Amino acid sequence: MAEYRTEQIRNFAVLGHTGAGKSSLQEALLFSAKAIPQRGRVEKGTNHADFTAQEKAHRHSLEPSFLNLDFDNHHINLVDTPGLPDFFGRALLPLPGVESVMLVINAETGIESVTQRAFDAARAQGKAVLIVINKIDGNESALEPLLANIQDRFGHRCLPVNLPNAACDGVVDCYLHCEEAAATLFHTPLAAKDELVDTVLEEDEALMEVYLEQGESLTPEQLHEPLETALRMGHLVPVCFASAEQDIGVTSLLEVMVKLMPNPLEANPPQFIKGFDDDAVPVDVSQSADDHILAHVFRVAIDPFFGRMGVFRLHQGRLQNGMKLFVGEGRKPFKVTHLLKLQGDEHIEVNSAIPGDICALAKIDELEVGAVLHDSHDEDDYHLPELNLPQPIFGLAVSAKKRGDEQKIAEVLHKLVAEDPSLNLARNEAEGQTVLQGLGDLHLQIALEKAQDVFNVDMDTDKPAVAYRETINGKASARYRHKKQSGGAGQFGEVELTVEALPRGAGFEFESKVVGGAVPSQYIPAVEKGVKEAMAIGALAGYPMQDIKVTLLDGKHHSVDSKEIAFVMAGKKAFADACAAAEPIILEPIVEMKIAVSPEHVGDVTGDISASRGMVCGTEAMSELKVEVHVEAPLAMVDDYSTRLKSMTGGAGQFSMAFVRYDMVPAVVQKQLMEKES
């Protein structure tokens, strides 16, 4: 591979709704840059981004994959991401490792649910966004309304840097070397250029004065610094038009990627944090090749034959084969022996990497998503903020088909979660179930399919119990004495405590107001332990409790018989007694749903949701052929929604779902849940 400087690197996560043509667009970019000898095709299972057996079988991107190309003396890293709503958590994983997001929109279908979520996530993380309207051929009449819709949804500063020509078989540049006289399908190149220049100049008053008062024209080179500021701040979102299948606008897009989008030194720098909790302070990263090694892992892949591979972004220092690195606070270093660049399923050995590049390390068991790699103990407690992934809300109870496979299944489940942190493993003690949780039916289906096909583990599945919770509505106090005397050493502990409700989502608080040593300080943690044990088994129907504050007020101890176990038991019983008097209630998870259907099915959907104790929050016309219905509903009433929606819409409807909050169940439901427990 050619040697590059950090300034010559560009990193893009490619996001968009399924069907937008992300994989085909990347094939076109790779082929145009001569990074591949021929273009692969999704329908034939030959495209370079979707190389796993699962992806070829399903004909969808299911996991992040990595591609790279060289163009115009620049090195571009592309991270392909899944576009199905169920895999949105996987699509978010690469964001901390890139400067820019390429958001691909299908010209025919327009802005879809993942499109909106991807744009919001990119800007929340301070990433520059480049919008590509793909599949423009055959959709000429939709392009101008779509651009207007993009500006309405994402901001009026989503501005075209090229436009479809009058025949829609090519594009006309509007900024880098504006073709002012060229005929375009709509708008004009000069008007588009003026909009871009005016927006960029808002970032530089001195240049604006030159432009306005002296009447001097400004070149893209003169505008480069304020342009990068505008991209970094989200004050400008370039829009390109293309058709990957017809090779329209592909070279123009490559030029925009290297000449307009930020390099690692121009983008918002990664915000590393040193220390944890109250001691945490932000630290700056030099991004210098001469400094300590500092990198972070944002993708882990585990293969039963090749072991664990971690894909990382190098932020500072020059990494070379043979160097020794630490993982987080680990005291034992590992030696770098396999430094790799990834091109789909091809692993290319390289000798070194520079700041800004994306590479991989193989056969290092300690690597996990979010791990920080470094070569100095000065960075032992460096870390990045935790990635805000969608909360998994669908679940399947899983168990071994064959006796004796329990340990093997546990290991495979943990591997699946290590690869995909948007999956979660939970233990439902009330039902005695191990539950694999994900973002939807397909998310879980693909995970279990991988467990069987890749790791050779087959599991039984069952519908899990809904993750109900319990809390209290009031405030109450209780006092309990635990006393046990049966010959020999006795047990004695007495506590008085108060319980009170916290706001929804606040969790748990424990405070001690004991004075005078009524409960010696060494026993106060034992009281808290007893309270937590009681919270785990609930007060009404066996569900875990939350959103409660417990205040330890008073107690008694015995100089001989007081022990930790005595105060654990006293805390447990006092808490249970207090909760019984504090209006205990059962909570259920409420989800937000966005349901995309044709206009004739809106009535069916809203009627079904209303019958499911749900609330319709509004509707939004996505196009003439699609309406998005926004609803909130109890998860217990919509956990089979994919089947119901298919039945109502003949398989044409789509929906996404995200956890919102816990709410109190109706009295009749609470009674049913309590009767079930008894």
Side-chain angles (χ1 to χ4, degrees):
M1 292 186 62
E3 285 286 329
Y4 290 99
R5 303 186 311 276
T6 298
E7 295 92 325
Q8 295 170 292
I9 293 175
R10 302 291 186 273
N11 296 311
F12 290 86
V14 184
L15 276 72
H17 200 90
T18 184
K22 300 185 298 300
S23 297
S24 298
L25 181 61
Q26 289 170 94
E27 288 292 314
L29 293 170
L30 290 167
F31 183 71
S32 180
K34 298 180 172 58
I36 54 176
Q38 62 183 23
R39 292 175 55 161
R41 303 191 68 84
V42 173
E43 63 271 18
K44 293 182 179 179
T46 57
N47 68 304
H48 291 72
D50 303 335
F51 56 84
T52 68
Q54 271 189 307
E55 289 173 320
K56 290 180 179 181
H58 290 274
R59 294 186 180 179
H60 281 292
S61 298
L62 300 175
E63 305 186 28
S65 60
F66 300 84
L67 305 163
N68 65 84
L69 60 90
D70 296 335
F71 177 79
D72 193 22
N73 205 30
H74 287 76
H75 184 65
I76 300 175
N77 291 307
L78 299 170
V79 189
D80 182 51
T81 67
L84 290 162
D86 275 18
F87 299 98
F88 188 64
R90 297 184 184 186
L92 295 180
L93 289 178
L95 292 191
V98 301
E99 294 81 49
S100 303
V101 166
M102 182 188 296
L103 184 59
V104 184
I105 300 176
N106 184 337
E108 182 177 2
T109 56
I111 297 171
E112 300 177 86
S113 62
V114 169
T115 319
Q116 181 73 58
R117 295 172 71 188
F119 182 87
D120 293 343
R123 288 306 312 143
Q125 292 199 39
K127 306 302 175 183
V129 178
L130 169 63
I131 292 177
V132 180
I133 299 176
N134 191 24
K135 304 185 180 183
I136 63 172
D137 56 303
N139 293 299
E140 291 86 349
S141 63
L143 300 182
E144 188 174 10
L146 176 55
L147 179 60
N149 192 23
I150 288 170
Q151 292 172 336
D152 182 54
R153 294 281 289 271
F154 301 147
H156 67 279
R157 291 180 175 180
C158 296
L159 300 175
V161 293
N162 62 35
L163 291 165
N165 65 18
C168 209
D169 58 2
V171 297
V172 176
D173 183 85
C174 304
Y175 184 74
L176 290 169
H177 34 78
C178 183
E179 304 167 49
E180 297 180 9
T184 53
L185 191 65
F186 62 91
H187 211 24
T188 67
L190 186 58
K193 179 181 179 179
D194 288 343
E195 287 177 339
L196 284 160
V197 171
D198 289 346
T199 298
V200 170
L201 284 175
E202 292 178 16
E203 310 296 334
D204 191 318
E205 292 183 3
L207 267 180
M208 182 178 285
E209 185 176 337
V210 171
Y211 181 66
L212 295 177
E213 295 184 5
Q214 300 179 27
E216 293 185 16
S217 61
L218 300 171
T219 66
E221 289 75 21
Q222 290 174 292
L223 292 166
H224 182 78
E225 189 172 332
L227 172 81
E228 297 306 329
T229 301
L231 291 170
R232 186 169 61 247
M233 301 298 292
H235 296 166
L236 172 63
V237 177
V239 180
C240 291
F241 291 84
S243 174
E245 290 293 339
Q246 303 302 322
D247 202 27
I248 298 171
V250 175
T251 303
S252 176
L253 176 57
L254 281 168
E255 191 174 14
V256 168
M257 292 166 71
V258 300
K259 291 186 177 179
L260 297 191
M261 302 309 289
N263 67 50
L265 301 180
E266 294 169 330
N268 289 318
Q271 188 54 77
F272 276 85
I273 298 169
K274 180 179 176 65
F276 298 89
D277 300 326
D278 294 339
D279 298 326
V281 293
V283 291
D284 294 327
V285 176
S286 72
Q287 302 193 74
S288 167
D290 299 324
D291 214 329
H292 290 165
I293 297 291
L294 189 63
H296 91 279
V297 176
F298 61 88
R299 164 77 174 137
V300 166
I302 304 173
D303 186 277
F305 301 105
F306 300 107
R308 185 178 294 233
M309 181 178 68
V311 183
F312 66 91
R313 162 70 180 272
L314 184 59
H315 295 285
Q316 67 181 37
R318 178 181 289 272
L319 181 58
Q320 294 178 304
N321 269 319
M323 295 182 72
K324 291 185 177 181
L325 296 180
F326 297 97
V327 181
E329 296 180 279
R331 312 308 294 175
K332 184 179 179 181
F334 69 88
K335 186 177 181 180
V336 177
T337 55
H338 297 286
L339 184 59
L340 307 169
K341 286 289 289 187
L342 303 182
Q343 187 74 305
D345 62 348
E346 187 179 0
H347 299 174
I348 304 165
E349 295 257 3
V350 294
N351 292 320
S352 64
I354 62 171
D357 209 354
I358 293 173
C359 295
L361 292 168
K363 299 182 179 180
I364 310 296
D365 291 340
E366 295 81 7
L367 298 182
E368 58 184 26
V369 173
V372 171
L373 309 178
H374 56 95
D375 61 352
S376 166
H377 286 303
D378 292 343
E379 286 89 33
D380 276 354
D381 54 357
Y382 276 34
H383 58 99
L384 285 167
E386 189 172 343
L387 190 59
N388 186 22
L389 296 175
Q391 181 165 338
I393 51 173
F394 280 79
L396 281 175
V398 294
S399 58
K401 271 188 179 295
K402 295 187 297 184
R403 177 171 291 186
D405 277 358
E406 288 80 6
Q407 182 59 35
K408 186 178 180 181
I409 285 176
E411 291 173 359
V412 169
L413 289 172
H414 281 94
K415 287 177 181 178
L416 294 174
V417 174
E419 287 188 321
D420 180 5
S422 60
L423 289 169
N424 183 56
L425 274 179
R427 180 68 183 169
N428 188 332
E429 297 295 347
E431 302 290 334
Q433 294 178 324
T434 296
V435 180
L436 181 65
Q437 299 171 322
L439 305 183
D441 292 339
L442 183 60
H443 193 197
L444 296 174
Q445 174 195 328
I446 293 296
L448 295 174
E449 188 179 284
K450 184 170 186 176
Q452 184 174 29
D453 295 345
V454 177
F455 297 107
N456 198 29
V457 165
D458 200 6
M459 288 175 265
D460 282 328
T461 62
D462 193 10
K463 182 179 176 180
V466 173
Y468 292 105
R469 296 289 186 266
E470 296 182 19
T471 190
I472 54 175
N473 252 348
K475 181 177 181 180
S477 299
R479 192 177 187 101
Y480 187 85
R481 173 182 293 182
H482 176 78
K483 185 176 182 181
K484 185 177 181 182
Q485 194 75 44
S486 56
Q491 295 179 9
F492 182 89
E494 184 174 332
V495 301
E496 181 182 352
L497 52 77
T498 294
V499 297
E500 57 188 301
L502 290 175
R504 295 283 187 267
F508 169 68
E509 293 180 18
F510 182 87
E511 182 183 5
S512 173
K513 291 187 177 180
V514 172
V515 295
V519 177
S521 59
Q522 68 265 31
Y523 295 133
I524 291 176
V527 177
E528 183 176 0
K529 180 181 178 182
V531 167
K532 289 180 175 178
E533 288 182 1
M535 289 183 68
I537 59 176
L540 287 173
Y543 300 110
M545 304 189 76
Q546 64 183 39
D547 306 335
I548 297 175
K549 179 178 180 179
V550 177
T551 305
L552 179 60
L553 302 174
D554 195 12
K556 290 182 180 179
H557 71 285
H558 188 277
S559 58
V560 175
D561 291 343
S562 284
K563 297 177 178 64
E564 180 178 322
I565 183 60
F567 281 97
V568 169
M569 297 303 297
K572 189 173 182 178
K573 292 293 291 182
F575 176 82
D577 291 347
C579 284
E583 301 175 50
I585 57 173
I586 298 176
L587 304 173
E588 63 180 346
I590 304 296
V591 295
E592 175 189 62
M593 303 172 67
K594 295 181 179 179
I595 309 163
V597 295
S598 57
E600 63 265 26
H601 290 124
V602 170
D604 296 331
V605 167
T606 56
D608 178 73
I609 289 296
S610 297
S612 301
R613 294 198 284 118
M615 178 176 65
V616 177
C617 303
T619 60
E620 182 177 357
M622 309 297 289
S623 68
E624 290 183 3
L625 302 176
K626 188 179 294 184
V627 176
E628 190 172 78
V629 184
H630 298 187
V631 309
E632 289 186 357
L635 176 60
M637 303 300 291
V638 293
D639 60 351
D640 61 345
Y641 195 72
S642 58
T643 303
R644 285 154 52 186
L645 186 62
K646 285 177 184 176
S647 175
M648 284 185 284
T649 65
Q654 294 181 325
F655 76 101
S656 61
M657 186 182 294
F659 171 81
V660 179
R661 63 184 179 276
Y662 273 94
D663 266 356
M664 182 178 174
V665 300
V668 64
V669 176
Q670 178 160 311
K671 182 179 179 182
Q672 291 169 355
L673 293 171
M674 292 172 65
E675 289 173 350
K676 178 183 174 184
E677 171 65 12
S678 61

